[in-house]
Amino acid sequence: APQNTGWSPVLTYRYASFDGDDPATEDDELFREIAYGFTDWGSWYQGEITGEYVFGNGNLNSHLVRLKMQPKEELTLNLLYYNFTIDQPASLGITSDDWGDEINFTVDWQVNDNLYVMGVLAALFPGTGAEQWVGGDKNWLHSMLYLTYSW
């Protein structure tokens, strides 16, 4: 029988820094990840939008505040807030290191022994650097629903 975890809130903070390439040198200093692996939200990708789709953990500094809650043993909720800066803005042809703020809401639900559901809602509120890079100031939105069924 599922145990009552009483939400079990956990608040954590993490700072991560991944070098960018300094265009003023001949060397390529960009941090290059060997392989990605998913173990938990915020453990490798720094943000669903910024880390997974834009930078891939290179040329990026992040502050993460995460609230993890587990209202039931089979259900975990996460609220992740990121503040991003760019390590080497000149390598992107921009002048500002202010990439922006990102909020991710995630759900992990073990429905039964066969079905697992993961969902994400994410929003990036661009800073000056992101606005310079894309040429606009619109917020970026992302959603994902991932189902795994095993038999």
Side-chain angles (χ1 to χ4, degrees):
Q3 77 182 48
N4 180 358
T5 59
W7 285 81
S8 305
V10 176
L11 185 66
T12 57
Y13 168 81
R14 177 184 180 192
Y15 173 75
S17 181
F18 302 94
D19 292 342
D21 180 39
D22 181 353
T25 67
E26 288 186 26
D27 294 335
D28 184 352
E29 300 94 355
L30 180 66
F31 174 80
R32 287 187 175 69
E33 62 283 342
I34 295 172
Y36 278 110
F38 182 84
T39 56
D40 197 5
W41 299 105
S43 63
W44 187 246
Y45 288 120
Q46 299 302 295
E48 276 300 296
I49 297 171
T50 300
E52 188 167 354
Y53 295 105
V54 180
F55 286 106
N57 289 354
N59 200 21
L60 187 65
N61 303 309
S62 70
H63 296 272
L64 164 63
V65 177
R66 175 183 179 186
L67 179 61
K68 181 177 181 177
M69 300 157 287
Q70 194 170 9
K72 296 182 177 184
E73 184 177 11
E74 65 275 3
L75 181 64
T76 303
L77 309 172
N78 286 285
L79 184 60
L80 301 103
Y81 164 77
Y82 293 92
N83 173 262
F84 293 113
T85 56
I86 301 167
D87 184 58
Q88 296 288 334
S91 68
L92 300 174
I94 61 177
T95 58
S96 176
D97 70 348
D98 176 20
W99 183 255
D101 298 301
E102 184 173 327
I103 296 174
N104 300 169
F105 176 69
T106 70
V107 176
D108 294 301
W109 180 27
Q110 182 73 51
V111 179
N112 55 41
D113 289 343
N114 304 94
L115 182 60
Y116 183 73
V117 178
M118 290 181 2
V120 177
L121 294 174
L124 173 71
F125 305 97
T128 304
E131 291 173 358
Q132 290 174 350
W133 194 58
V134 299
D137 62 357
K138 302 269 191 247
N139 296 333
W140 305 7
L141 304 174
H142 165 75
S143 64
M144 175 187 76
L145 182 62
Y146 181 80
L147 305 171
T148 302
Y149 184 80
S150 60
W151 57 90

